[in-house]
Amino acid sequence: MSFELGVQLAKEFVLQEKRISDIIKNKEYQFDVWEEDGKAYLQTAICNVGGCTAEFLTFDSLEEAKKQAAIMTLNGKKMKTVSICSECENELKPMWDDAPNFVKYCSKCG
């Protein structure tokens, strides 16, 4: 690797870190991030039925979760939408008693 290439890569690394910092500072990441019971979470998927957190990543600190959210945002990632999460699926109730399998709703969300 040439010296010039090394300098260029170092500059690009510094620029990426600056972009990540700006995304965190301005809360421009495209994902929900929260702290609970001493852990931090990054929501990666949402339930289409109830808007529940369908999938998430776990981190040891909120700063780590925010940084990953910023990196994912910078790389063009978006939160996925899943058809139904297991929580809503377990709570599905029939809309009409006389047609129990026709239309259902989530009693938790609905």
Side-chain angles (χ1 to χ4, degrees), residues 27-93:
K27 297 181 181 177
E28 294 174 337
Y29 32 85
Q30 301 293 313
F31 302 87
D32 288 334
V33 178
W34 72 97
E35 226 172 358
E36 188 177 302
D37 299 327
K39 291 286 184 183
Y41 301 91
L42 163 60
Q43 182 177 2
T44 57
I46 189 168
C47 172
N48 192 34
V49 174
C52 310
T53 300
E55 296 174 14
F56 59 89
L57 301 174
T58 306
F59 297 87
D60 291 327
S61 72
L62 189 58
E63 290 73 30
E64 287 177 286
K66 287 179 181 180
K67 184 168 185 175
Q68 185 60 43
I71 290 169
M72 291 168 68
T73 298
L74 189 61
N75 288 321
K77 304 286 185 197
K78 303 263 187 218
M79 194 174 326
K80 293 187 306 186
T81 301
V82 298
S83 59
I84 187 169
C85 70
S86 59
E87 215 172 307
C88 286
E89 191 168 34
N90 291 334
E91 293 295 323
L92 287 180
K93 305 291 183 217

